[in-house]
Amino acid sequence: MQTQHKKFSVLKLRGVRVAGVVLALGIPIILLARFLEIFLMIIFSIALTLLLYPFVDYFEKKGLRRMNATFAVYGCLAFIGLLFYYVILPIFVGQVEDLATKLQKISLDDKIREAQMLIHQFAPNVKTDDLGIKIHAAIAKSQMQFKSQIAGIISTLSFFMLIPLFVFFAIRDFHLIQRKFLDAIPNEYFEMSLNVMYRIEQTITKYMQGMFLDSAAVGLLATIGFVSIGLDYSLILGLLIGVFNIVPLVGPAIGGVCPVLVAVVQYGSIKSAIAPIAIFAAVRMIDGWFIRQQIYKTMLSVPPVLVLILVALGNELLGVIGTILCIPIYTVIAATARETNWGLLNYKITSH
């Protein structure tokens, strides 16, 4: 009686499969990071595609052809863009110009001296003799960096004009791309690949939805807080804080500067900035301790402690871009790991 020997393949090892996914994700990201403009264009294009394709599917189910459904979604976006350009943007620009005019009338040296006196009242042992020098040096450095990078910024913005075209064809051919990808998968891995693709699509979409929900909640709370103390431009400030909240670590710090400047301009005193700072700090604590934890736990089933670790790791490896991509990359790896039942990464990231 002959013994049948099963052919051994290293690809059947779970650890090898997941290691392959990590390398397949990591190597392109490291290479693309060296070409930042292309990297950012691809990331934004994929994000917009995942965000918009369900709306195209909806119109398609209503009887429109795929091309016409895509045009319908782009038409809705164009209408929203025109509404923003002709209604909201003029209000925003007018308030920014008004704030800039008022800022020019304020002496920076006087405010620095006032800040030094205020610091001495609460912390007499803190040395503030070189505070003015540091602030002037920081402003001068920022102006120099902006002037040196303005050409690159314009080039990047012009490069980003390709995103709508990229997204249009990606949305139109979304299901075709999925089918072509699955056709290339060997039969023994077809079911696993289909499940992984579905989980990746669902988790990244939920991550984006959660990110926008979190930013909307932060912006709304900040607006309510600023209105309650009678701060000028409360709606614009809340909008800016919500938008900057999308970028972890750096974004909230930039957003927190805006209400301080408005308070100083409005009331003419450094002490007047204490109230908006307190409101901003309260909003950040509510977001960190409650809103963000609930969103990640409910929508992604990712532990908040793990989120903090991933954000710190992403920032260390790829800076601001890494902080934005850390959660989607983890969910892709975890989705694959769950399908292969492998090791510590086998974490339930979606619920059915």
Side-chain angles (χ1 to χ4, degrees):
M1 184 175 179
Q2 286 184 332
T3 304
Q4 292 183 348
H5 297 283
K6 293 184 178 179
K7 192 175 181 179
F8 175 76
S9 175
V10 72
L11 294 176
K12 294 182 178 180
L13 296 175
R14 295 166 185 161
V16 173
R17 294 179 191 174
V18 178
V21 173
V22 173
L23 290 175
L25 289 170
I27 293 175
I29 288 173
I30 293 173
L31 292 176
L32 286 173
R34 299 187 65 85
F35 304 95
L36 187 60
E37 292 181 350
I38 300 176
F39 183 72
L40 289 177
M41 189 193 74
I42 293 174
I43 293 301
F44 280 112
S45 299
I46 292 174
L48 287 174
T49 300
L50 291 174
L51 190 66
L52 295 177
Y53 92 88
F55 298 102
V56 176
D57 287 352
Y58 172 80
F59 284 119
E60 192 176 20
K61 290 177 182 177
K62 293 297 181 179
L64 291 177
R65 295 177 59 186
R66 187 75 182 180
M67 177 69 80
N68 295 334
T70 307
F71 276 122
V73 171
Y74 265 63
C76 294
L77 291 176
F79 175 76
I80 295 172
L82 289 173
L83 185 66
F84 175 82
Y85 182 79
Y86 286 106
V87 178
I88 299 176
L89 187 61
I91 298 174
F92 179 78
V93 172
Q95 292 190 350
V96 170
E97 289 177 348
D98 182 55
L99 179 62
T101 302
K102 292 179 180 178
L103 275 173
Q104 291 177 353
K105 298 178 181 178
I106 294 178
S107 173
L108 179 59
D109 293 329
D110 291 342
K111 297 307 169 186
I112 292 174
R113 284 192 291 269
E114 186 179 348
Q116 289 174 326
M117 294 175 60
L118 189 62
I119 293 171
H120 287 154
Q121 289 180 2
F122 292 97
N125 297 326
V126 176
K127 295 182 179 180
T128 60
D129 297 337
D130 58 346
L131 180 62
I133 298 174
K134 290 182 178 179
I135 291 176
H136 283 290
I139 293 173
K141 183 179 179 181
S142 300
Q143 291 176 341
M144 289 178 62
Q145 288 179 343
F146 179 76
K147 290 178 180 178
S148 63
Q149 296 177 2
I150 190 167
I153 293 172
I154 295 173
S155 174
T156 301
L157 290 176
S158 62
F159 194 74
F160 274 25
M161 296 299 292
L162 296 173
I163 289 179
L165 187 63
F166 183 97
V167 173
F168 179 86
F169 290 107
I171 292 174
R172 190 197 66 175
D173 302 328
F174 187 82
H175 297 297
L176 178 63
I177 294 170
Q178 285 183 321
R179 286 196 297 270
K180 292 293 185 182
F181 175 78
L182 291 173
D183 288 342
I185 301 295
N187 290 334
E188 58 180 316
Y189 301 119
F190 179 82
E191 185 177 353
M192 184 194 76
S193 301
L194 186 62
N195 290 334
V196 169
M197 183 184 295
Y198 172 78
R199 294 185 187 280
I200 289 172
E201 180 184 322
Q202 290 296 309
T203 50
I204 291 179
T205 302
K206 287 182 178 179
Y207 170 70
M208 292 174 58
Q209 293 172 349
M211 185 170 60
F212 284 115
L213 281 175
D214 180 41
S215 296
V218 168
L220 180 61
L221 288 176
T223 300
I224 293 173
F226 296 148
V227 169
S228 66
I229 62 172
L231 193 65
D232 290 342
Y233 319 122
S234 295
L235 184 59
I236 299 297
L237 290 173
L239 177 64
L240 288 174
I241 289 174
V243 170
F244 282 122
N245 188 70
I246 295 176
V247 183
L249 300 179
V250 180
I254 298 174
V257 174
C258 300
V260 172
L261 290 175
V262 172
V264 172
V265 170
Q266 181 177 346
Y267 299 107
S269 172
I270 293 293
K271 291 182 179 180
S272 60
I274 295 176
I277 289 175
I279 290 174
F280 180 76
V283 170
R284 295 305 312 161
M285 286 190 290
I286 293 172
D287 178 49
W289 292 349
F290 178 73
I291 299 175
R292 187 164 295 189
Q293 289 194 26
Q294 292 301 315
I295 287 175
Y296 284 125
K297 285 171 63 178
T298 304
M299 301 188 73
L300 292 175
S301 297
V302 179
V305 174
L306 182 57
V307 171
L308 295 176
I309 295 173
L310 291 171
V311 168
L313 182 61
N315 182 69
E316 184 66 26
L317 294 175
L318 292 174
V320 175
I321 304 300
T323 62
I324 298 175
L325 296 180
C326 59
I327 304 298
I329 291 173
Y330 167 78
T331 56
V332 171
I333 297 173
T336 307
R338 190 183 181 214
E339 290 303 318
T340 56
N341 291 321
W342 183 71
L344 296 175
L345 287 175
N346 182 21
Y347 189 86
K348 184 177 181 182
I349 59 171
T350 56
S351 56
H352 296 282

